[in-house]
Amino acid sequence: MYADLLHALPDVFAWTNFAAVVIGVIAGIVVGAMPGLSATMAISVLVPFTFGLEPLVALGLMAGIYNGAMYGGAIPAVLLRIPGTPAAVATTFDGYPMAQKGEGGFALQVAVVSSSIGGIASAFALMLLAPPLSKVTLLFGPSEVFWVAVFGLASIIFLLGGNPIKGLISACFGVFVSVIGSDPIYGNDRYTFGQLEMLDGIHIVILLVGLYALPPVIDLLETPLKTGVNSSNLGTEPIWKAIPRMKGYWKTWLRGSFIGIWIGILPGAGGSMAAFMSYNEARRASKNPETWGEGEPEGVAAAETANNADTASALIPALTLGIPGTAVAAVMLGGLLVHGLQPGPMLFRDNPDVVFGFMWQFLFGAILLVLLGGSLATNSFARLLNLPRPLLGSVIIVLMLIGVYSIHGRMFDVYLMLGFGAVGWVMDKLKFPLPPVVLGLILGGFAEENLRLALRIGRGDPLVLLQNTTSLVLVALTVAVIIGPTIKQRLAASRKPA
Amino acid sequence: MLTIFKKAAIAGVMTLAAGAALAEGYPEKPIEVIVGYSAGGGTDVMARTTMPFIEKYLGNGASLVVKNVPGASGQIGITEVANAAPDGYTLGTFNLPGMMARTLDREAGYDRDSFTYLANVVNDPNVIVSSKDSGINTMDDLIAAAKENPLAITVGMSSLGGDDHFLLIKLQKMTETEFTIVPFKGSAPARTAVMGGHVAVGIFNVSEVAKFAGELNILGVAQPERSEFAPDAPTFREQGLDLINGSLRGVVAPAGLPDDIAAKLRDAFEKAAQDPEFVKAMADTANPVAVVTGQEFRELTDSLYDLAKEAWETTPWN
Amino acid sequence: MSDRSHNRLTRPETLTAVGIILIAAGFLVPTTDLRSISALLPAAMLIGLIVLALVLLVMDQRKAARAEAPVQMTQAPKRVAGAFLLILGYALACDFIGFYVSTAVTIPLVAFAFGYRNPLGLLVATGIVVGSIWLIFDFGMSQSFPAGRLWKD
């Protein structure tokens, strides 16, 4: 297969195919950077157009958009505390405080370099390890996937913020929203109030735009200022000067890449969970965890590495088994089918040039990210923030409407988003943390579905959940995550007096 | 209000002018084809692959534009079709038995009589598969195992109330066996669960497993003859089980479409079915072609409705 | 006295807690129609919300008893309400009148109402935003936006 890999390379450099990647990356950065527009939406809008394109042009565009958008989402996350894509939520934790301290430029440079590194690692995983990693995916049946979801939900305890009661209310709210729609097993309605539009559940982008983008817009309009947000004090320096300041991050990059690739090959969870987990792990490993959340550049590096490291790896189960690792990969599968590329083990044999070419495009997309996103894109977007606040606010409102409307092409979703926006504004003012809502929505329904599938397989016997090694390992990990920090504290406390 | 007016106007035109006059210039403007799923889904790809051929055989510089109205497993889209003006400028994709089953298990904004049946395009027969190392290699193995220990065999499928579920209901009745149903969300996760050994067997459509021949045993195919997608797999009939079942995808128009326009569209579908280029394009996108038009399509729908109704009344699934 | 007790009940956190309890209790009603396995997770979350909101309520009332100042929601309630209403109005206008017209009106209107009043700037910004949306989405990707329910049929 490595011969096939090399054989596919010349085609990738055909100028139309290469141009597609370049355009894709730029478009991806722009889409990701617009609050409200997401990679999922951009690629699904693109899919119908790819019918008329050569396969590698179409796939190159998609690979570029995916890579670009995962970084682009960091731009408003850092500058406005509005994650441009669901995966950029964790980037706001330290990115926005950095921007407030006047280090926004450096935060974005850390983000672009980390994104690129994560993307490159992921592309290599896809190119070199797809067949063995797809075997790993096969180990994960409903009970194992249930424990993965529980593991992810357990990490909510690190996101509760200052007031655990409020954090738990947020988490319960998120999980409750995830059960709206049709029941995962029987298909009957839950809390849809007879609306067909609610049957498929609440799309993550609707919730995200409402909760995260609307409150800052209200803030922009609330303060009667005519100036921009943080005018010229981004603190940007040339990227070659910024990179040496990041040399201490290699452990975080490595860890983030590993976590991202790992989450990518597991079906369903996707970029935001990868970013949250990478952030938590990096903070736990850090020597000075108290600076995290106050503008620690390493936090941005952890989140951004992981949310790009699941891009290509999410395609491993998508290409080999037909099950997408992320929502974006799900849309891309459609784009592949359009070109007669049906997922499965035979795909690599039947269309090696296209499939391996696509993998190369992922790699080049990730590399191009530094060049294209580095200073040019970052600076021009940062300049947008010099717009007078009322104008910036009104433009974001329009983008929010476009992004949410385009998901399914209906106004119903826009009204839902406004409802979540009102909730989000209250939550923001009363300091309810938002990340538990996002994780709860992503993982709640997912955990329920797999738990119930596992119980059906076991014909109601809950022991089925603990009957294999993979499950037991996951349970042990979850327990370690929950009680680990407490034990560490106890140990530290008991050592001190001695 | 105005739709009613429009419909009345069209009905008036129909009775006044001879129908032929209408079809002469048809189509004068782009025809919208409503697909109840997102772009890139199986039904969307079927529609987008088929439409250029329909444009070709309709002539008159016809242009068919796909509009995706996703949501609620196609319900939102097909309801929009049922409520559109029957002027030949709104068509929609139609999935069986799903669209009929949904009129039973929930309140639907349409029924069998809401449509003018143009053509069924795809008939994707069901298959039962097991993983290579499951020890279940034939239907006899499966039935023997199920008889020995009722409910012990787990069956993965894409959902309840779909074609795969109906096949299992037929099989259970025919062989007096009982299986444990595990309804995943979609066929790909179910297929992965079969490959990973998390469920014993799975029920799919032949196009969904054709690319996994090395990993999965096809125990039987639910159509009269062997499928070109899996020529080595035996049919159920070959093994003494009279099981015929599958997933169908076609194109309908709102009820009351003028006869001559309907005839023109049906004719275009029949011509496309004979086009080897069309058959190849469909095979490349995992769509086994079986074109059936007009009255025959309506009868097919009726028979699937009756099947779904019987299944719903004897073993309701929600 | 009455003024004080009035204040205690209108504290934002107290109001929010009461709101959560009422809404969650309301959602519990349809839960009884579901079969038990379907109802398990949503019921658990709703009951969790009610219990947690009760704790929040007690905590906030204790703070009130200690005469701690409540969290302040906004210093400019009129501007906030105005912003919400304008956004809602924009969504309704898109739905009923049409996307492009509403957008072309809303951008300058919102910016003007909230303090940016340079006519040239407003014109240029509106032109650029609406123009590029049309160019990319409508012209480039043939994505349609709401055309306005009022004009339909």
Side-chain angles (χ1 to χ4, degrees):
Chain A
M1 90 170 246
Y2 299 123
D4 285 335
L5 204 53
L6 288 179
H7 188 264
L9 195 52
D11 259 5
V12 176
F13 284 109
W15 79 269
T16 43
N17 298 343
F18 200 78
V21 182
V22 175
I23 294 170
V25 171
I26 297 173
I29 295 175
V30 174
V31 165
M34 302 276 189
L37 310 189
S38 65
T40 320
M41 172 239 157
I43 294 177
S44 48
V45 167
L46 184 76
V47 164
F49 282 84
T50 59
F51 265 86
L53 300 174
E54 285 291 306
L56 276 182
V57 175
L59 299 177
L61 275 171
M62 292 198 274
I65 290 179
Y66 198 176
N67 263 305
M70 285 299 118
Y71 159 63
I75 298 174
V78 167
L79 301 176
L80 295 167
R81 204 167 55 101
I82 306 176
T85 59
V89 171
T91 310
T92 58
F93 298 169
D94 281 292
Y96 185 64
M98 282 179 77
Q100 285 179 310
K101 289 196 284 187
E103 290 175 9
F106 183 56
L108 289 177
Q109 280 162 336
V110 171
V112 76
V113 172
S114 305
S115 292
S116 185
I117 288 171
I120 291 169
S122 194
F124 274 119
L126 173 64
M127 293 200 304
L128 304 175
L129 299 170
L133 286 181
S134 71
K135 293 277 185 303
V136 174
T137 307
L138 284 183
L139 287 176
F140 286 75
S143 59
E144 292 84 353
V145 175
F146 165 69
W147 288 114
V148 171
V150 170
F151 181 66
L153 284 168
S155 68
I156 284 183
I157 62 169
F158 298 106
L159 304 168
L160 292 183
N163 183 337
I165 297 292
K166 288 182 179 172
L168 286 172
I169 289 179
S170 296
C172 286
F173 173 56
V175 175
F176 180 72
V177 172
S178 81
V179 306
I180 294 173
S182 59
D183 177 272
I185 302 289
Y186 297 109
N188 47 323
D189 299 17
R190 291 198 290 192
Y191 312 104
T192 61
F193 304 102
Q195 298 290 322
L196 279 179
E197 288 90 344
M198 303 269 277
L199 211 55
D200 298 327
I202 308 278
H203 196 284
I204 178 76
V205 172
I206 299 175
L207 178 100
L208 190 84
V209 171
L211 287 189
Y212 273 94
L214 199 66
V217 167
I218 301 286
D219 285 350
L220 282 176
L221 298 178
E222 186 183 348
T223 16
L225 277 181
K226 285 178 194 145
T227 55
V229 177
N230 40 5
S231 318
S232 51
N233 55 353
L234 263 182
T236 339
E237 54 184 352
I239 192 137
W240 57 89
K241 282 192 190 158
I243 289 178
R245 287 173 64 191
M246 303 178 201
K247 61 179 186 294
Y249 303 164
W250 64 272
K251 269 190 189 165
T252 300
W253 284 334
L254 208 62
R255 194 187 300 111
S257 300
F258 182 76
I259 292 174
I261 291 169
W262 182 246
I263 298 289
I265 62 169
L266 300 180
S272 23
M273 181 173 161
F276 282 129
M277 281 181 55
S278 169
Y279 182 87
N280 280 335
E281 293 309 307
R283 177 168 63 178
R284 278 207 294 166
S286 167
K287 285 195 192 78
N288 38 356
E290 67 283 352
T291 60
W292 289 60
E294 320 255 298
E296 169 62 54
E298 219 172 326
V300 176
E304 282 298 307
T305 315
N307 74 21
N308 273 68
D310 79 338
T311 49
S313 75
L315 284 164
I316 294 172
L319 295 176
T320 56
L321 303 166
I323 44 170
T326 61
V328 188
V331 187
M332 291 179 104
L333 261 188
L336 288 163
L337 187 61
V338 161
H339 290 281
L341 302 168
Q342 299 172 37
M346 270 130 109
L347 181 62
F348 295 75
R349 247 171 296 154
D350 295 349
N351 309 73
D353 281 1
V354 175
V355 175
F356 290 108
F358 184 37
M359 297 179 177
W360 282 112
Q361 289 178 319
F362 256 93
L363 181 65
F364 293 126
I367 296 171
L368 281 168
L369 199 52
V370 174
L371 304 174
L372 297 170
S375 29
L376 192 76
T378 308
N379 276 332
S380 36
F381 269 102
R383 206 147 291 153
L384 274 184
L385 295 183
N386 291 334
L387 281 177
R389 283 167 170 251
L391 202 55
L392 185 62
S394 61
V395 171
I396 296 177
I397 295 170
V398 174
L399 290 172
M400 285 163 58
L401 186 127
I402 293 181
V404 171
Y405 179 82
S406 305
I407 304 169
H408 302 117
R410 57 195 187 209
M411 283 304 291
F412 184 87
D413 294 344
V414 175
Y415 296 124
L416 260 183
M417 178 271 284
L418 292 180
F420 281 117
V423 173
W425 184 78
V426 173
M427 290 179 72
D428 190 45
K429 291 295 162 194
L430 296 181
K431 307 229 157 22
F432 282 88
L434 297 178
V437 187
V438 176
L439 261 193
L441 174 61
I442 293 174
L443 295 175
F446 187 54
E448 186 203 14
E449 177 191 338
N450 283 288
L451 172 64
R452 287 172 58 188
L453 285 174
L455 287 176
R456 275 183 90 100
I457 289 173
R459 291 158 69 191
D461 181 2
L463 276 180
V464 73
L465 294 171
L466 299 169
Q467 265 167 0
N468 55 64
T469 340
T470 326
S471 295
L472 291 173
V473 170
L474 286 164
V475 174
L477 274 175
T478 311
V479 173
V481 163
I482 296 173
I483 67 167
T486 347
I487 292 181
K488 222 174 171 181
Q489 272 175 358
R490 290 266 167 86
L491 279 178
S494 67
R495 251 180 235 145
K496 257 181 199 162
Chain B
M1 276 295 277
L2 277 164
T3 12
I4 297 167
F5 175 73
K6 255 191 196 168
K7 279 187 182 171
I10 287 157
V13 170
M14 271 165 60
T15 43
L16 284 177
L22 254 179
E24 200 123 295
Y26 178 82
E28 304 176 311
K29 56 175 184 177
I31 302 169
E32 197 169 68
V33 182
I34 294 178
V35 174
Y37 301 87
S38 307
T43 306
D44 176 72
V45 173
M46 181 277 284
R48 289 180 195 270
T49 313
T50 309
M51 291 320 145
F53 293 93
I54 302 305
E55 286 175 354
K56 181 170 154 194
Y57 292 110
L58 269 182
N60 269 7
S63 146
L64 282 83
V65 185
V66 169
K67 179 183 167 197
N68 299 93
V69 184
S73 3
Q75 292 286 286
I76 297 177
I78 201 67
T79 311
E80 193 173 321
V81 177
N83 295 328
D87 53 4
Y89 294 101
T90 306
L91 311 179
T93 54
F94 191 70
N95 300 58
L96 286 170
M99 297 296 187
M100 284 299 112
R102 296 297 86 72
T103 63
L104 298 162
D105 63 13
R106 60 172 53 254
E107 261 176 58
Y110 63 91
D111 60 25
R112 273 184 292 177
D113 299 321
S114 306
F115 306 105
T116 303
Y117 291 82
L118 297 176
N120 183 59
V121 181
V122 171
N123 186 346
D124 201 350
N126 287 118
V127 290
I128 299 184
V129 302
S130 65
S131 77
K132 285 278 184 205
D133 39 36
S134 63
I136 298 172
N137 296 315
T138 61
M139 279 309 284
D140 288 342
D141 292 350
L142 178 66
I143 293 165
K147 285 216 160 131
E148 197 176 304
N149 200 345
L151 288 172
I153 305 282
T154 46
V155 185
M157 56 178 65
S158 63
S159 65
L160 294 178
D163 51 302
D164 11 12
H165 187 197
F166 295 144
L167 179 88
L168 186 72
I169 292 176
K170 281 183 184 173
L171 176 73
Q172 288 183 336
K173 213 161 124 191
M174 200 175 279
T175 58
E176 292 172 347
T177 47
E178 262 187 291
F179 295 86
T180 294
I181 301 172
V182 187
F184 287 79
K185 258 191 185 166
S187 55
R191 182 178 59 208
T192 309
V194 176
M195 286 166 64
H198 305 286
V199 291
V201 294
I203 302 182
F204 303 100
N205 299 103
V206 72
S207 71
E208 293 164 346
V209 295
K211 296 282 173 186
F212 290 80
E215 280 72 19
L216 296 167
N217 291 319
I218 301 182
L219 305 181
V221 183
Q223 69 178 14
E225 273 97 43
R226 289 192 175 203
S227 164
E228 55 179 310
F229 280 70
D232 298 333
T235 64
F236 288 115
R237 276 202 182 154
E238 285 173 45
Q239 304 174 73
L241 291 163
D242 191 22
L243 279 173
I244 306 293
N245 204 51
S247 158
L248 280 66
R249 297 172 188 150
V251 178
V252 294
L257 186 70
D259 286 342
D260 49 346
I261 291 181
K264 203 166 175 181
L265 283 163
R266 284 176 189 140
D267 185 53
F269 277 99
E270 273 161 13
K271 281 183 183 147
Q274 306 302 321
D275 189 329
E277 246 181 87
F278 170 70
V279 177
K280 179 172 182 311
M282 293 295 274
D284 285 346
T285 50
N287 279 306
V289 175
V291 173
V292 167
T293 57
Q295 189 54 31
E296 237 181 303
F297 182 19
R298 168 70 204 240
E299 280 159 17
L300 203 56
T301 307
D302 285 341
S303 69
L304 284 164
Y305 175 81
D306 294 339
L307 168 71
K309 192 160 187 240
E310 195 198 326
W312 173 248
E313 276 160 6
T314 51
T315 46
W317 52 83
N318 85 17
Chain C
M1 273 302 279
S2 70
D3 188 41
R4 213 191 116 142
S5 71
H6 174 75
N7 273 341
R8 278 188 72 154
L9 290 180
T10 52
R11 293 168 69 89
E13 290 204 351
T14 298
L15 281 180
T16 307
V18 172
I20 293 173
I21 293 169
L22 290 179
I23 293 170
F27 271 107
L28 265 178
V29 177
T31 309
T32 50
D33 297 340
L34 300 170
R35 69 182 87 200
S36 53
I37 186 107
S38 285
L40 191 61
L41 183 68
M45 289 303 120
L46 291 170
I47 292 169
L49 278 172
I50 293 174
V51 172
L52 290 164
L54 276 173
V55 176
L56 189 68
L57 181 70
V58 171
M59 277 170 33
D60 194 49
Q61 284 302 310
R62 278 199 186 154
K63 272 190 208 160
R66 286 191 307 255
E68 277 178 44
V71 195
Q72 187 149 25
M73 297 291 280
T74 170
Q75 288 171 331
K78 275 188 194 154
R79 292 179 76 94
V80 170
F84 266 113
L85 283 178
L86 268 175
I87 296 173
L88 182 65
Y90 170 54
L92 287 169
C94 283
D95 198 354
F96 287 93
I97 300 171
F99 173 77
Y100 285 102
V101 181
S102 315
T103 305
V105 173
T106 302
I107 294 179
L109 184 71
V110 171
F112 188 85
F114 288 90
Y116 179 71
R117 304 214 162 139
N118 178 346
L120 186 68
L122 286 175
L123 198 70
V124 171
T126 311
I128 291 177
V129 173
V130 177
S132 36
I133 290 170
W134 180 83
L135 207 66
I136 295 170
F137 285 92
D138 203 307
F139 181 75
M141 312 288 255
S142 50
Q143 277 280 297
S144 54
F145 290 112
R149 272 197 240 172
L150 288 183
W151 326 126
K152 235 181 187 175
D153 312 320

